[in-house]
Structures are given as structure tokens and as C-alpha cells.
Amino acid sequence: MRPPERRQKVYEEYAYILDFLPYGYGFAAAPPRRRREGLRGPVAQALGEKYFMLLELAPIPGLELRVGERIPLLRDLEGQLIRVTRRLTYDELTTNARAELPEIVKRIVLQREGEFVEFFNKAEPLTTRMHSLELLPGIGKRILWKILEERKRKPFESFKEIYERVKIDPVRAVCERILEELRGGQRHYLFVKPPPRRSPPP
């Protein structure tokens, strides 16, 4: 289970609202780019359901959004009530959005349990010295070998089974790794669509 390559254009079909500002950003709270551009009107910050992309949304005036709400992101311009304006970095999230992020990540992970259990069953080495499972917090060499032995004996079928057979909390490990990737600066991305490469300043 790997996010798409950097150059592959992908879109989130659903997202969860992390914060909703019906009157837009206050000047002090606005990301620097938005201060320069003078963004006005309602704005929301959200987390994509499939690629864990942090998104800035512009809903039509009068549309109320609730924190934690799952919303569709339509690409049909005529039917759009919410427009994706751009991708955000973790540092651009509001204080409220950062506070909501761990719980929303956990909700998505639990809903996509089968996919993440399959990651434990099929994850492969990254190099001759590093296995992709070792990127999950709490998994060192001893736990790694235990996982590899157990999945060879019988593939895991649930988070509960991983916990019972390996004695680690797989939900916590996956969620913490996703949060690390959302903060950026990672060499390897297991679950989050990597941030776009920025051109160096001239």
C-alpha cells in the first residue's frame, strides 16, 4: 500500500472537515500566501480520505460545514458547492484543525481497516537494511521479525488479530506514521501523497 508517485495527478473524492471559518481567515491566522492574495469568504480546511492530502476548500456563501463532517468533492464545476482551492502543508493548518487531525486520521484508518491490515501482510523491504514496517513507530527489529514470521504462518485478517498475535497496537502505529508524514520532511511516504517538490529560489 503506497501513495501515488509524485508526478501522478490524483484527486480526493471525499474529505473530512478539520476546521470551518464562515467569515474566512483573520489576517493573523491566515497562511502567508493568503495574506498576499487577500482570500475572502468562507474557507474550510480538510483531510482527504484516500491520499490523506490536507486541503483548503472554498464553500459557497451560506453553506454550513461541521467539523468532522465527511463531504464529497465533486469535479463537476456546475454541481460544485465546495471548491478545492489548493493543497495545504501541516504548518498552514489552524490551531483547531491541528487539534482535530489525530481523531480524523484514526477514524479513516478504522474505516479502511482491510487496506491497512493488508499492508502488514504485504509490506516489503525498502533497502537491504530497512523494512517498510520499521517506519511505523514502535516497530523495531524484534517486532519486525515477529510480524514476518506470523504473516508467513497465516496472513492477518484484522487489527485485533495483529494485536493478539504480535502484541502491538497497529491502529496507533499506523496513525502515528500518517501524522509524521503529514508534518512533512520524510524520506519515505507509506500512506500520504507526498508533497509537491518546490523549485529552489533563483
Side-chain angles (χ1 to χ4, degrees):
M1 178 179 178
R2 289 182 178 275
E5 297 296 327
R6 290 176 184 269
R7 296 180 183 179
Q8 183 180 348
K9 192 76 170 178
V10 296
Y11 300 91
E12 296 281 10
E13 295 182 0
Y14 292 89
Y16 287 83
I17 301 299
L18 298 172
D19 196 8
F20 175 54
L21 300 94
Y23 304 107
Y25 294 114
F27 182 81
R33 175 177 171 180
R34 283 307 185 240
R35 295 177 197 170
R36 295 193 299 269
E37 296 177 357
L39 179 68
R40 294 181 176 84
V43 64
Q45 295 186 339
L47 178 67
E49 182 178 66
K50 185 172 183 179
Y51 302 111
F52 293 101
M53 290 194 285
L54 296 170
L55 304 171
E56 182 180 80
L57 310 177
I60 62 171
L63 181 65
E64 291 291 329
L65 297 174
R66 300 187 308 275
V67 171
E69 181 179 2
R70 180 178 182 263
I71 59 167
L73 300 176
L74 301 177
R75 295 179 62 191
D76 175 12
L77 294 179
E78 293 185 2
Q80 277 187 342
L81 298 177
I82 302 169
R83 180 169 55 90
V84 178
T85 54
R86 67 189 182 104
R87 189 172 176 186
L88 295 168
T89 65
Y90 180 84
D91 290 340
E92 292 176 307
L93 293 179
T94 64
T95 301
N96 288 341
R98 292 188 194 188
E100 293 292 331
L101 188 59
E103 185 58 35
I104 298 299
V105 167
K106 183 177 180 180
R107 189 189 308 180
I108 295 173
V109 169
L110 290 173
Q111 289 177 346
R112 294 170 55 189
E113 178 177 1
E115 296 176 49
F116 291 104
V117 170
E118 195 67 2
F119 171 77
F120 278 88
N121 284 326
K122 295 188 175 180
E124 299 177 349
L126 294 169
T127 68
T128 55
R129 296 186 178 184
M130 171 68 71
H131 198 284
S132 54
L133 284 165
E134 292 181 271
L135 295 180
L136 273 60
I139 296 183
K141 294 296 184 185
R142 183 179 65 83
I143 297 296
L144 170 64
W145 288 114
K146 180 67 173 175
I147 293 172
L148 297 180
E149 289 172 1
E150 286 293 327
R151 77 182 193 182
K152 184 177 181 180
R153 183 172 64 85
K154 177 181 176 293
F156 301 110
E157 296 182 0
S158 66
F159 283 144
K160 181 181 179 182
E161 191 175 325
I162 295 172
Y163 177 79
E164 291 174 346
R165 291 167 58 186
V166 185
K167 308 305 180 189
I168 63 165
D169 184 342
V171 176
R172 180 176 179 180
V174 169
C175 288
E176 288 185 2
R177 178 62 197 181
I178 290 170
L179 290 169
E180 287 179 0
E181 294 181 12
L182 285 170
R183 294 184 186 105
Q186 302 297 317
R187 183 176 180 182
H188 301 286
Y189 286 82
L190 299 176
F191 309 120
V192 175
K193 173 74 167 65
R197 291 176 179 171
R198 300 189 183 279
S199 302

